[in-house]
Amino acid sequence: RLGQFVHKGSRDNNIISLSELDGITGHVFLDSGAPREERYKVAGLTNIRTYRPEAKRMGGILGAAVSPDGITWKRLPEPLWDSYYNNDGGPSIYFDKTLEKYVLLTRQNYPRRRSIARAETADFRRWPHPTLVLTPGPLDAPSDDFYSNTYISYPGAEKAHLMLTSVYHRDTSLVDIRLASSVDGIAWNWISRDPVLELGGPGDWNGGSIYAVPSLVKLPDGRVAVPMVGSSWSHNEWWRVKFETHQKWPRGIGWASW
C-alpha cells in the first residue's frame, strides 16, 4: 500500500504516481551498475517547454527520471538531447555490457515513413541524435511503417539481441508484430517479414493492434514469454475511440510465448 495515488476515492492501493515527472513516461529499465539512487531509469519524449519555457514548439525532447526503488521518482533537471528532435515515438533503452554503453532505440520518420534509429552513449545524461538502422525497403509493402522498437535480450545470452517491432499497415490500419535480431545490437536483420505474432479475430481484445513490452521472461513452466498489450481497434480507429465515439472497446494485456 503505497498511498501515492487516489483511485476510486482511496489511496489504499499500489499505484505509482508519475505526476512529478511532467509527462515523462516510457520503458523502465534496471541499471545494475549505477549508484543506488539511480538504479531504475525511465526516459521518454516530453514537452520541450518543460525545460525551455520560451520554446515555440511542443514535444520533441527526450526527458528522463531516476529512482532507487522503482517507486519514488525524480526527474532529471536537463533533457537528454540538447535540442528539439522531430520524433513521436517512445524509446527503448538498455545498458550493453559488451559495449559498456547505454543504447537507445527509437522511432524516426525517414522520409515520412516511420523507421527505427539507434544511439549510444557512455553518459546517460547526454545522448547524440540517433542514426537509422531499420527502414521500410523494396521487400516491404509500400503501406508498411515500423511503428515501435521494443528491445529485448534473451535471458542469459548477452549477445542475443531481439526487437519485436509493431508494423503499422496503412492500407488496413492494423498493427501486428515482426521480429528482428542482431549479434551486436548495431546491425539488425529481420528473422522474417511475416508476423511473428498475429492479431486475434475481429472484435477480440487483440484483434486490431498489438504491441510488445520490452521484457522477456522465463515462466515457471519453462516457456519464454513477453508481455504484450492489445486492443480491438485499429490504429486509425483509436482516434475515433478517443475523440468521437468514446466507447469502451475491448483491450487487454497478455503473454506471448514460444
Side-chain angles (χ1 to χ4, degrees), residues 80-124:
L80 304 188
W81 284 331
D82 57 4
S83 62
Y84 181 88
Y85 180 70
N86 182 22
N87 184 293
D88 63 344
S92 293
I93 298 179
Y94 66 97
F95 184 78
D96 190 305
K97 295 181 180 179
T98 302
L99 298 175
E100 296 185 343
K101 290 183 178 181
Y102 296 98
V103 177
L104 174 146
L105 294 163
T106 188
R107 186 190 301 168
Q108 187 175 48
N109 298 331
Y110 174 82
R112 306 193 68 81
R113 293 283 297 274
R114 294 176 177 90
S115 305
I116 298 171
R118 178 187 181 277
E120 64 178 50
T121 181
D123 181 1
F124 178 76

Side-chain angles (χ1 to χ4, degrees), residues 9-70:
S10 172
R11 292 183 180 270
D12 187 19
N13 57 62
N14 67 343
I15 300 174
I16 295 173
S17 174
L18 301 178
S19 60
E20 297 181 3
L21 301 189
D22 295 316
I24 297 172
T25 57
H27 301 148
V28 176
F29 76 100
L30 177 64
D31 186 3
S32 57
R36 182 186 178 280
E37 62 272 16
E38 297 189 5
R39 290 190 70 219
Y40 291 86
K41 292 182 170 68
V42 63
L45 291 166
T46 186
N47 193 341
I48 192 173
R49 295 176 184 171
T50 301
Y51 304 94
R52 311 284 187 262
E54 71 282 2
K56 296 181 179 180
R57 303 189 184 199
M58 295 179 64
I61 201 73
L62 187 67
V66 295
S67 169
D69 52 14

Side-chain angles (χ1 to χ4, degrees), residues 143-196:
S143 61
D144 286 354
D145 281 7
F146 301 155
Y147 205 66
S148 66
N149 42 77
T150 300
Y151 171 86
I152 53 178
S153 60
Y154 197 90
E158 294 181 1
K159 293 188 178 181
H161 303 272
L162 302 173
M163 185 163 28
L164 287 167
T165 299
S166 289
V167 179
Y168 167 39
H169 306 282
R170 291 173 181 261
D171 55 349
T172 63
S173 191
L174 300 176
V175 181
D176 52 26
I177 293 178
R178 191 190 288 186
L179 177 65
S181 72
S182 173
V183 296
D184 56 10
I186 302 171
W188 290 87
N189 292 284
W190 296 113
I191 297 294
S192 170
R193 282 181 164 78
D194 295 324
V196 69

